[in-house]
Amino acid sequence: MSSFEVRAYNVPLAGFSAGLVGPARSRIKGVLVYGTAPVSFTLKDGTNAGETLLDLTVAAGWNDVYMPDNGIVAENGVYVSALSGTGAIITLLLG
């Protein structure tokens, strides 16, 4: 069992602009996603040119996506490079 402190960061589609979320080095432990239509998002390491860490499309409604074990490490921070979907909002659970 890991002992990472986890914090939540909201990223709404309304007013969305690509950018870093959370601390400079993070572990993605989970993503909570809501949309009134399917939601697509891409998380990268540090910048838009960074390695793609998670690229996902989920169904309309509430979706909980949890990463196994210690999660996905973003050495240079979690960069939300894309977010689309009607009424979309994602909440990143970072440790």
Side-chain angles (χ1 to χ4, degrees):
M1 174 164 211
S2 66
S3 60
F4 297 107
E5 180 177 319
V6 176
R7 296 192 183 215
Y9 299 88
N10 284 327
V11 181
L13 180 61
F16 171 76
S17 63
L20 283 171
V21 176
R25 183 181 189 278
S26 299
R27 288 184 184 270
I28 304 167
K29 300 295 288 177
V31 184
L32 310 177
V33 185
Y34 175 77
T36 56
V39 176
S40 296
F41 62 94
T42 302
L43 306 179
K44 294 191 173 191
D45 187 11
T47 68
N48 197 39
E51 176 186 1
T52 297
L53 302 173
L54 184 62
D55 187 20
L56 196 60
T57 299
V58 296
W62 280 106
N63 297 273
D64 300 339
V65 181
Y66 293 101
M67 307 307 140
D69 299 322
N70 291 327
I72 300 172
V73 176
E75 292 291 341
N76 302 299
V78 177
Y79 187 89
V80 180
S81 68
L83 173 61
S84 64
T86 306
I89 185 168
I90 62 174
T91 301
L92 301 175
L93 304 176
L94 305 178

